[in-house]
Amino acid sequence: MAGGILTSLGFIFSAFAGSLLHLYLGLGVLAGSGWALVFAPAVGTLSRYFSRRRVFAVGLALTGNGASSLLLAPALQLLLHTFGWRGALLLLGAITLHLTPCGALLRPLALPGDSPVPPQGPLAALGLGLFTRRSFLVFALGTALVGGGYFVPYVHLAPHALDQGLRGYGAALVVAVAAVADAGARMVCGWLADQGWVPLTRLLAVFGGLTGLGLLAVGLVPVVGTEQGWGGSLLATAGAYGLSAGGFAPLVFGVLPGLVGIEGVVQATGLVMMLMSLGGLLGPPLSGFLRDETGDFTTSFLVCGSLVLSGSFIYMGLPGVLPCCHPASSPATPPPKTGELLPIPQVALLSPGNAHSTLDTTC
């Protein structure tokens, strides 16, 4: 709820900007801080709500990224033409304020394994103690490297298409194909992961590797576009990248309960977003620098694809990625199929103003 207020204030403040510094403070500091406060609690709480179909639920929620790539781009262009950039920012501030009532709808659940007392000290509150666990440390290192290349297509896929000789609508079509493939793959991969046929960590490493290969393919695709063409090979590689990157997204958050336990999933989600953002600070600027030095984005996508492949290789150190040499143990008994939420006797809702949890028989 606080994140929605900060994000809205960031847009409104930026609408009255008189210099670039004001935009840095409004969109960068205020709105950026608000988004950070929104994302981690939303995805972390979602992971606590579901048991049998957790990864599918996360993947379904994350399809908003792909949908926004398709819907918001023309909508924002319409706002710019109609109201100007200041008016558009004011309207975006009003829209993002709706994150506050959305936050009010997230009901906190008390689950078995939760600590009866809040974390003591800043290190515990931030969840930094999770880095003492080997599996999470391996996951964190791999995720930081993946973040260095994962966000590059969000920034430079359209300019790369323009460099390939495509016109404006052709470049927009490349981005749209990648966005549609990304959104669809998030739901399909979430469903696949919840079937239990393949360990989540193994799926994570596989889709991470495919994402890196997709970036390499986008960088190596020959210049075949013309002002009258649509660049079929670039469309195909962009679609392949979207499928692999979309499948990777829900798995990043889906493996967290198995690595840190359901009680630490919210803190772990925040740490994962921090690590991916640190990688994101490196990737797009590095890609732009290589474009300026070489004259095209080929080297940029090759380097960023190599970063993603390196992170996926590190994921091989996670438990369950490599096949075991000893006979597999019998599978664990699945949760009772009485609904998507955790079994009712194990779920308690935190009552406002009351430190004691109460069972909710209607959950």
Side-chain angles (χ1 to χ4, degrees):
M1 295 172 67
I5 295 175
L6 284 179
T7 304
S8 178
L9 290 177
F11 278 109
I12 295 174
F13 177 82
S14 299
F16 298 96
S19 67
L20 193 59
L21 176 62
H22 296 160
L23 293 178
Y24 287 150
L25 295 175
L27 294 179
V29 177
L30 279 179
S33 300
W35 286 326
L37 291 176
V38 167
F39 191 89
V43 176
T45 301
L46 187 66
S47 297
R48 291 171 60 86
Y49 279 175
F50 291 85
S51 56
R52 289 190 298 114
R53 299 181 182 177
R54 179 179 292 126
V55 185
F56 178 74
V58 173
L60 187 62
L62 293 179
T63 55
N65 289 353
S68 64
S69 299
L70 290 174
L71 301 178
L72 284 183
L76 293 178
Q77 196 63 41
L78 177 63
L79 292 179
L80 287 173
H81 284 304
T82 306
F83 303 102
W85 68 271
R86 295 184 186 273
L89 286 175
L90 284 175
L91 289 172
L92 287 176
I95 293 173
T96 54
L97 189 60
H98 288 75
L99 290 170
T100 299
C102 289
L105 296 176
L106 294 177
R107 306 177 69 185
L109 299 180
L111 302 178
D114 288 348
S115 175
V117 295
Q120 302 297 323
L123 294 181
L126 295 175
L128 298 183
L130 295 175
F131 287 107
T132 60
R133 306 185 184 187
R134 177 189 173 277
S135 59
F136 185 78
L137 185 60
V138 171
F139 175 78
L141 180 58
T143 301
L145 286 173
V146 169
Y150 187 85
F151 298 105
V152 169
Y154 287 89
V155 182
H156 289 149
L157 184 56
H160 177 53
L162 294 174
D163 280 356
Q164 295 285 58
L166 300 179
R167 302 175 70 178
Y169 286 107
L173 181 61
V174 171
V175 176
V177 167
V180 171
D182 183 290
R186 295 184 184 216
M187 291 187 291
V188 173
C189 186
W191 173 84
L192 175 64
D194 284 331
Q195 303 311 304
W197 297 329
V198 183
L200 289 181
T201 51
R202 190 177 303 171
L203 282 175
L204 178 71
V206 169
F207 276 95
L210 292 176
T211 302
L213 293 176
L215 282 172
L216 295 181
V218 170
L220 292 173
V221 66
V223 181
V224 295
T226 64
E227 291 190 356
Q228 290 77 29
W230 295 100
S233 59
L234 184 57
L235 283 174
T237 53
Y241 164 78
L243 288 173
S244 55
F248 175 80
L251 294 171
V252 172
F253 303 102
V255 301
L256 290 178
L259 295 178
V260 303
I262 196 65
E263 71 279 0
V265 70
V266 177
Q267 293 173 319
T269 301
L271 291 175
V272 168
M273 289 307 302
M274 179 190 71
L275 293 169
M276 294 198 73
S277 298
L278 291 177
L281 288 175
L282 169 66
L286 176 61
S287 175
F289 171 77
L290 294 175
R291 164 63 174 81
D292 294 339
E293 293 295 319
T294 61
D296 58 46
F297 283 102
T298 299
T299 305
S300 301
F301 279 93
L302 292 180
V303 171
C304 294
S306 299
L307 288 174
V308 176
L309 286 174
S310 300
S312 302
F313 180 78
I314 292 177
Y315 285 151
M316 295 181 68
L318 293 173
V321 175
L322 299 177
C324 298
C325 297
H326 55 78
S329 58
S330 58
T333 303
K337 297 183 178 181
T338 56
E340 288 309 322
L341 288 175
L342 292 171
I344 291 176
Q346 299 181 4
V347 180
L349 290 169
L350 299 181
S351 303
N354 186 358
H356 300 286
S357 302
T358 57
L359 290 178
D360 185 352
T361 57
T362 64
C363 186

